[in-house]
Amino acid sequence: MSESSPRISKETSIYGDKFKIASWNVNSLKVRLPHVEQWLKKAEPDILVLQETKTIDENFPAEEIQNMGYQVVFSGQKTYNGVAILCKDEYLIEDVVMDLPDLDDPQRRILAATINGIRILDLYVVNGSEVGSEKFEYKLHWLEKVTNWIEEQSKQYKKFVILGDFNIAPKDRDVHNPKSWHEKILCSTPERNALQKILDLGFADSFRLFEQEDETYSWWDYRSGGFDKNMGLRIDLVLSSKLLAEQCTASYVDPEPRGWERPSDHAPVVSEYRNLK
DNA sequence: ATGGTTGCGTAGCAA
């Protein structure tokens, strides 16, 4: 192609190149690093946020990720949790936050950064174990503190994406068997109300901005062949602020990596935007 | 059915 000829492809439109943001709970980055590399090559997201990296910062595979053409910031701990934000080399990463002023928590579940003028908040929401348990109360308390911080950040950042493993299925249509999950963990009313409080701050569940196939999920239990039977839940979400929801052109789950050898139990979720580059 | 599977770390917890 000569230098003067315009680049014409489905990637280019009158709105300019799409800007692609994705989230993936990898359930151990050490084990899943080959999948992350394979998926980055396939999807070419501008930003990919990870949850459950399950590694201390000292052992984080930063060089390997840089060799994939991505910058990375991360917040990890031993054995559990751990979050990371990857973005293409061309962007600046600014204003990184991993601790909320009002939440003293050793668990590494929160990572915020501003990239390409967009505030990105990567969340690994507490699972909660069982409704009514101590961990459940911690989940609700954690969500309350995070929601308060989001409200404050929203005043400052109009281009704002909150994404990650929310460990909450927003509605019964996001659940393979709503009857068996009725008021169970990930589906209970207090959890759904807590999610709604975030949405009420002016965010949209990007996936629901578009027509979607029924029974689309993002997580399938390793046990009992959950993926093959499509017994899943949609608990991995991309929430777009009003301004970004207007620019959102697509949002979907990519179930392919869930079918790869030795997969994470989660699939990547993606949202695409116009006019952001 | 308090089952089943995976990861970390090497027993039992967390998901």
Side-chain angles (χ1 to χ4, degrees):
Chain A
M1 192 191 289
S2 76
E3 220 165 285
S4 58
S5 70
R7 191 168 66 91
I8 306 287
S9 80
K10 62 176 181 176
E11 308 295 323
T12 305
S13 76
I14 56 165
Y15 301 113
D17 284 353
K18 67 188 177 189
F19 192 85
K20 198 166 175 178
I21 304 177
S23 170
W24 194 5
N25 180 325
V26 290
N27 185 17
S28 167
L29 183 55
K30 188 182 175 185
V31 174
R32 231 63 68 189
L33 198 58
H35 284 198
V36 169
E37 180 167 25
Q38 200 175 338
W39 194 76
L40 286 174
K41 277 184 186 158
K42 174 201 170 186
E44 298 187 340
D46 293 281
I47 297 171
L48 171 62
V49 309
L50 305 177
Q51 304 85 38
E52 285 206 88
T53 53
K54 292 188 171 180
T55 183
I56 55 173
D57 292 347
E58 192 177 51
N59 296 337
F60 192 93
E63 263 192 52
E64 288 89 335
I65 287 170
Q66 279 152 16
N67 289 337
M68 300 173 196
Y70 283 80
Q71 307 171 78
V72 62
V73 288
F74 44 89
S75 176
Q77 67 178 88
K78 194 174 182 282
T79 312
Y80 302 117
N81 308 316
V83 282
I85 300 178
L86 286 62
C87 73
K88 285 182 176 171
D89 282 332
E90 62 201 84
Y91 305 113
L92 262 177
I93 303 177
E94 299 171 290
D95 302 318
V96 174
V97 171
M98 46 189 75
D99 283 289
L100 306 194
D102 201 25
L103 180 67
D104 186 21
D105 190 356
Q107 299 195 19
R108 304 290 81 190
R109 301 176 170 278
I110 297 169
L111 190 56
T114 302
I115 296 165
N116 193 35
I118 305 163
R119 193 62 171 157
I120 301 292
L121 176 56
D122 176 14
L123 295 181
Y124 175 46
V125 174
V126 178
N127 174 287
S129 185
E130 233 181 294
V131 174
S133 68
E134 207 168 291
K135 285 173 187 165
F136 183 72
E137 294 308 319
Y138 165 55
K139 180 178 196 172
L140 296 180
H141 176 257
W142 187 94
L143 281 163
E144 193 183 326
K145 295 296 180 186
V146 171
T147 303
N148 290 342
W149 192 70
I150 291 168
E151 183 172 21
E152 189 195 302
Q153 292 272 292
S154 295
K155 295 171 189 165
Q156 193 178 342
Y157 300 102
K158 297 303 167 191
K159 295 184 197 170
F160 199 165
V161 177
I162 308 163
L163 71 173
D165 177 357
F166 279 72
N167 270 316
I168 302 170
K171 300 268 168 59
D172 275 355
R173 63 181 167 167
D174 302 305
V175 180
H176 69 89
N177 186 349
K179 277 185 184 169
S180 67
W181 283 89
H182 180 71
E183 293 300 336
K184 294 284 194 336
I185 196 68
L186 315 183
C187 301
S188 75
T189 302
E191 292 165 87
R192 286 177 171 173
N193 287 347
L195 173 62
Q196 189 59 48
K197 279 195 175 171
I198 299 176
L199 296 170
D200 287 345
L201 295 174
F203 291 85
D205 178 357
S206 310
F207 184 79
R208 292 301 177 196
L209 294 172
F210 305 93
E211 225 173 273
Q212 302 286 359
E213 277 186 35
D214 290 341
E215 299 175 81
T216 300
Y217 309 122
S218 68
W219 169 81
W220 302 260
D221 203 309
Y222 284 126
R223 296 166 285 193
S224 319
F227 182 61
D228 293 332
K229 298 174 200 156
N230 196 27
M231 290 171 58
L233 302 178
R234 193 176 67 89
I235 55 176
D236 300 271
L237 310 176
V238 183
L239 310 187
S240 299
S241 64
K242 237 169 218 146
L243 200 68
L244 289 185
E246 287 168 10
Q247 303 300 334
C248 191
T249 53
S251 188
Y252 50 90
V253 180
D254 181 2
E256 191 191 308
R258 186 61 178 82
W260 292 345
E261 195 180 336
R262 205 182 176 190
S264 167
D265 44 353
H266 294 253
V269 295
V270 184
S271 282
E272 297 174 4
Y273 305 86
R274 64 188 176 200
N275 283 336
L276 290 188
K277 285 195 185 176

